[in-house]
Amino acid sequence: MEATVVLQLESSAVNPGPIDGSVLYDQDKHVSSAVWDGQERGALRCHEHTSKLDQWKLTSRQIKLVEKAGFGHLRLIPAISLDNPLISALVERWRRETNTFHLNAGEMTVTLKDVALLLGLSIDGEPVIGITYTSCNSVCEKFLGKAPELGYASGGMVKLSWLKEFFSECPEDGSLEEVERYTRAYLLYLVGSTIFSTTTGNKVPVMYLPLFGDFEHCGRYAWGAAALAFLYRALGNASLASQSTISGCLTLLQCWSYYHLNIGRPKLKHEPAHDSFPYVLRWKGKQLGPTANRDVVYYRKVLDALKPCDIEWLPYKHLDSTVIPEDIRNTLNLGRSKTMLICFDKAERHLPGRCLRQCGMVQHIPDDVQPWQRKNRGVDGGVDLSAKMELELKEWQNRHLSIVEGDENVDEDEYMQWYFSITRKFVGRPISLSTEFQRTNSGLRDIAHIADTFPTEGLDPQQVDSISRIRYIAHECLRGQVDSPGVSAGIQMIEFGKRSRGKEKVRRRSFGKRKHKDEPMDCDEINEDGRSHFHGAIIKVDDLSIDNTDLDGTHHLCGLDNEDPSELCVMAVDGENIPLCTDPGNGELSMQQHCGIGGTGSNTMEHLYDASQVNASQLGYMPNGIHVGQACDEMKEMHGSQYLNSMEDEVVDESQLSHVTNESNPQQTAVIQV
């Protein structure tokens, strides 16, 4: 009941949307709901293996076969360093209900045109579909002339390392059959490392091998459409709160973002190439500076605040179009085709009508998305999927008849008004959970005070009963917070994140670990930026006379058994001593004791603050009513704020330690880093 009242009082929080849930009907499963509730998953693990592609030594005969098969441009794909936090933040904006990114400026997506220009793959032709396999031996023997040894295959997948070990160097004088086998192995490695990379990290399904059997016929497949279907499915899976990895052609996704969004673009040591094809080559090269301090929270905030002026709706119009091969240029109109993208069991809708500004047209309110069934290959193992996907295949066959058109007479303001009602406006909270917790508690205290002091004289019994009920609920909520310090700590813990992935660094908390005698205690407060307001604040107590006895009526707070030591509460009581957490006999801070508050003086603190809410004025002790926060303020005036630590751990210099001494008792000295 208390929790319900607290949630109802959260009126100051911004409603992230959607207000109308008819479009984003899977919001409860989406990662943005978990992030809003403080459940950070960190950066996704990104699976792509372009780094070893250049270790394959292709002969001239092999290169001709690769080009005939339609992968002449894809083999040039550079080994771009993936920005895992950027990709993770984009995933938080991806919606599988519409196959688009939901940004505050409107919907955007990776279109067939993007795939054709960035990767140089064909987006027109036969659908990439066939028979799935549950074992590797027979198909590998037929198309590669060799079956993988035990340990190199599982189910219908083979390890990339096996392909590289046995097929990366084709003999110059090899027979045509031998050259073709080595080339098929390369193509399987190529697609398994790029457009069809899986979350297994190092395996590729052998179901693609039969499509490489005839190299000329292989060139008739719409490999670009299949790559996009695969990426759409990977984005949709990764957008679920339960997932922690992502696969697919992430180089395509990252370079699409570089072209369209003015965030995270690398500064290269050379001028970007504007006359190379495919266009992904523009971002090939070493970067000038690192991006290690750009984490998911950073990119999330940038995307939450993205403005229309930060978006390049038509980024390719400034590039040299003469380098685009004619066969690809003639199919670019399919970037506006409302159709079904197919890659074996993966069938995903291509909906450019929701992103008309990427086609140079005014955006109107789009049509409703027709639901479709997402199939699973595990059910269809060993079966030709063509017979099971008749409707999807028919949509693809009609792709040239489904080119969306714009309407210059529509009012885009009307679209934006509709869009804001159906979209998720924010992923991260404008106000952090810890701040909301404090504000909610503050509101409860105000309500309790009003109810306690409200005059009831002249009120009828029903009104008196209502006020009594309000008073009871408010005090019950506040009493629950005082008696349960783990509540606020739990919010802080959830916000803090679970693990470190990719380039993102997440500090882990240590539970139940007692620090050494001379080791100081640190307090981390996480603010809206995911960074500490008072990181590195250290308190050492030297020769401080501490009373370790309990006071009558004291609430035992901040129990530190198996809890983080940064959740220490330092409270003021009457008298000269404070019940800090101590080790009896040596005066050192202990992790195993309890801290209490009590007393009847005006300085008694009545409410709980854990490490996530403590600020500089609340750290320290208050002998003789002197608050250490005053000394902190004086030190800041004398020394400035240059001693505040960043999120990264730093070695504490003694010059950064200021001493606050109780004049009445020089033995009571608090050493505080500011």
Side-chain angles (χ1 to χ4, degrees):
M1 180 176 180
E2 290 89 354
T4 303
V5 175
V6 171
L7 289 174
Q8 290 174 344
L9 291 171
E10 204 175 21
S11 58
S12 59
V14 177
N15 180 7
I19 299 172
D20 177 355
S22 60
V23 177
L24 304 184
Y25 46 81
D26 275 341
Q27 178 58 49
D28 290 344
K29 302 176 185 177
H30 196 263
V31 63
S32 60
S33 289
V35 171
W36 189 262
D37 292 338
Q39 300 171 16
E40 291 283 357
R41 68 178 180 184
L44 294 167
R45 291 195 299 273
C46 299
H47 294 283
E48 197 177 68
H49 307 280
T50 58
S51 61
K52 296 182 180 180
L53 278 172
D54 59 357
Q55 296 180 15
W56 285 72
K57 309 301 181 183
L58 300 182
T59 66
S60 57
R61 288 192 294 173
Q62 281 185 288
I63 292 176
K64 290 180 180 179
L65 291 177
V66 170
E67 291 175 346
K68 183 183 293 187
F71 295 97
H73 297 295
L74 185 66
R75 77 176 186 87
L76 303 176
I77 188 171
I80 293 177
S81 178
L82 294 179
D83 190 341
N84 292 19
L86 172 60
I87 292 172
S88 303
L90 288 171
V91 168
E92 292 177 349
R93 285 286 182 176
W94 180 263
R95 303 309 302 233
R96 65 204 301 255
E97 300 95 329
T98 59
N99 278 346
T100 58
F101 297 104
H102 278 238
L103 306 171
N104 282 333
E107 292 179 62
M108 299 187 72
T109 196
V110 184
T111 67
L112 285 171
K113 180 179 180 179
D114 292 311
V115 178
L117 294 178
L118 290 173
L119 299 182
L121 288 173
S122 173
I123 57 174
D124 195 15
E126 298 179 25
V128 177
I129 195 170
I131 299 175
T132 61
Y133 292 87
T134 56
S135 64
C136 297
N137 288 356
S138 60
V139 67
C140 287
E141 284 278 6
K142 180 178 180 180
F143 294 100
L144 301 180
K146 182 182 179 121
E149 293 83 355
L150 186 65
Y152 281 106
S154 61
M157 307 182 78
V158 65
K159 285 189 176 181
L160 295 172
S161 58
W162 178 76
L163 295 170
K164 181 174 176 293
E165 180 178 351
F166 292 99
F167 298 96
S168 59
E169 291 192 35
C170 180
E172 287 285 349
D173 57 351
S175 65
L176 177 60
E177 183 181 22
E178 193 173 16
V179 172
E180 288 181 341
R181 286 174 174 175
Y182 273 76
T183 305
R184 292 188 193 107
Y186 169 74
L187 291 177
L188 187 61
Y189 187 97
L190 177 65
V191 299
S193 301
T194 56
I195 58 176
F196 302 143
S197 68
T198 65
T199 54
T200 62
N202 62 350
K203 297 176 184 176
V204 57
V206 296
M207 62 187 182
Y208 305 111
L209 269 178
L211 305 185
F212 304 146
D214 184 329
F215 292 96
E216 185 173 352
H217 188 264
C218 180
R220 301 185 192 134
Y221 288 108
W223 291 105
L228 192 55
F230 199 101
L231 180 62
Y232 277 5
R233 180 65 62 89
L235 284 167
N237 291 339
S239 70
L240 300 177
S242 58
Q243 301 301 304
S244 60
T245 62
I246 184 173
S247 59
C249 193
L250 301 179
T251 294
L252 167 64
L253 174 62
Q254 186 164 304
C255 290
W256 176 89
S257 174
Y258 287 166
Y259 273 107
H260 288 83
L261 307 177
N262 187 22
I263 61 171
R265 289 173 179 167
K267 295 181 179 179
L268 303 177
K269 292 184 178 180
H270 60 85
E271 187 67 22
H274 296 279
D275 57 351
S276 299
F277 191 85
Y279 287 163
V280 70
L281 294 175
R282 178 186 181 187
W283 306 105
K284 180 181 181 180
K286 294 185 177 180
Q287 301 182 15
L288 282 175
T291 59
N293 54 348
R294 294 178 178 175
D295 56 10
V296 176
V297 175
Y298 167 83
Y299 285 121
R300 180 188 302 149
K301 285 184 172 294
V302 174
L303 288 174
D304 279 352
L306 201 67
K307 301 175 182 177
C309 61
D310 297 320
I311 297 176
E312 291 280 353
W313 297 103
L314 302 170
Y316 311 120
K317 66 179 181 180
H318 305 298
L319 302 182
D320 185 3
S321 61
T322 61
V323 299
I324 305 174
E326 185 177 358
D327 59 330
I328 290 180
R329 187 187 300 114
N330 293 338
T331 62
L332 292 181
N333 65 318
L334 288 179
R336 296 191 287 117
S337 176
K338 180 182 178 182
T339 186
M340 187 70 74
L341 307 173
I342 297 172
C343 179
F344 279 84
D345 61 308
K346 298 172 179 61
E348 296 287 340
R349 289 200 181 280
H350 184 247
L351 301 169
R354 307 187 71 88
C355 311
L356 289 175
R357 285 173 288 186
Q358 289 181 239
C359 305
M361 295 180 281
V362 179
Q363 182 65 56
H364 56 73
I365 298 176
D367 298 332
D368 294 338
V369 180
Q370 298 298 319
W372 74 98
Q373 182 181 3
R374 287 183 165 97
K375 299 182 183 295
N376 189 325
R377 186 177 67 246
V379 179
D380 300 317
V383 177
D384 188 344
L385 296 175
S386 300
K388 291 180 170 291
M389 302 177 67
E390 293 179 356
L391 294 178
E392 292 86 348
L393 290 170
K394 185 176 181 179
E395 273 200 59
W396 174 250
Q397 291 170 0
N398 295 329
R399 59 193 177 278
H400 290 284
L401 305 176
S402 305
I403 306 298
V404 298
E405 301 292 343
D407 184 354
E408 296 297 329
N409 297 321
V410 300
D411 184 2
E412 204 163 87
D413 290 338
E414 182 180 352
Y415 159 76
M416 290 304 298
Q417 184 177 0
W418 168 85
Y419 175 70
F420 281 130
S421 70
I422 62 94
T423 192
R424 181 80 168 185
K425 295 188 288 292
F426 299 101
V427 175
R429 285 178 176 261
I431 303 174
S432 68
L433 277 176
S434 58
T435 302
E436 276 299 322
F437 183 81
Q438 294 182 59
R439 292 174 62 171
T440 300
N441 271 353
S442 177
L444 283 170
R445 289 195 293 272
D446 290 342
I447 292 173
H449 175 72
I450 293 173
D452 289 339
T453 59
F454 194 88
T456 58
E457 185 178 353
L459 300 180
D460 59 48
Q462 185 176 0
Q463 292 173 326
V464 173
D465 181 68
S466 296
I467 293 175
S468 298
R469 182 167 179 77
I470 293 172
R471 181 189 301 115
Y472 170 77
I473 293 174
H475 281 288
E476 279 294 297
C477 291
L478 290 172
R479 185 178 65 81
Q481 300 306 326
V482 171
D483 289 341
S484 304
V487 173
S488 59
I491 294 176
Q492 161 67 8
M493 286 291 298
I494 293 173
E495 282 188 311
F496 204 80
K498 294 193 297 183
R499 67 175 74 180
S500 172
R501 295 191 180 100
K503 297 180 182 178
E504 184 178 26
K505 296 181 179 179
V506 180
R507 292 175 51 120
R508 295 174 181 257
R509 290 193 173 224
S510 175
F511 294 89
K513 179 180 178 181
R514 179 165 178 164
K515 295 192 175 184
H516 295 294
K517 176 178 178 181
D518 298 327
E519 190 174 353
M521 183 183 302
D522 65 347
C523 300
D524 291 344
E525 177 192 356
I526 304 301
N527 66 2
E528 293 89 339
D529 296 324
R531 297 198 175 252
S532 173
H533 282 313
F534 205 69
H535 182 80
I538 297 175
I539 297 179
K540 291 184 179 179
V541 182
D542 299 327
D543 300 322
L544 177 63
S545 175
I546 299 176
D547 185 2
N548 193 36
T549 60
D550 294 334
L551 299 178
D552 293 338
T554 296
H555 293 290
H556 291 279
L557 303 178
C558 298
L560 296 179
D561 292 315
N562 298 323
E563 294 291 339
D564 190 285
S566 65
E567 295 171 11
L568 175 66
C569 295
V570 184
M571 305 300 183
V573 297
D574 290 342
E576 299 182 356
N577 298 322
I578 293 183
L580 289 172
C581 300
T582 64
D583 234 357
N586 59 17
E588 295 290 348
L589 296 179
S590 170
M591 306 311 125
Q592 304 299 329
Q593 302 296 322
H594 293 272
C595 298
I597 60 172
T600 58
S602 60
N603 288 331
T604 301
M605 298 184 69
E606 298 175 353
H607 303 288
L608 168 68
Y609 294 88
D610 75 334
S612 66
Q613 283 97 33
V614 176
N615 57 36
S617 64
Q618 293 165 341
L619 290 172
Y621 60 90
M622 300 171 64
N624 295 335
I626 300 176
H627 201 291
V628 173
Q630 300 170 358
C632 291
D633 294 335
E634 294 174 4
M635 285 186 287
K636 288 178 182 178
E637 292 178 1
M638 291 187 292
H639 301 290
S641 59
Q642 63 269 29
Y643 295 137
L644 289 175
N645 280 357
S646 66
M647 275 296 290
E648 298 295 332
D649 293 329
E650 297 179 2
V651 178
V652 178
D653 191 300
E654 291 185 0
S655 63
Q656 298 178 359
L657 299 178
S658 302
H659 291 72
V660 183
T661 305
N662 180 5
E663 295 180 359
S664 63
N665 187 352
Q667 297 300 318
Q668 295 181 340
T669 303
V671 182
I672 302 175
Q673 179 191 0
V674 295

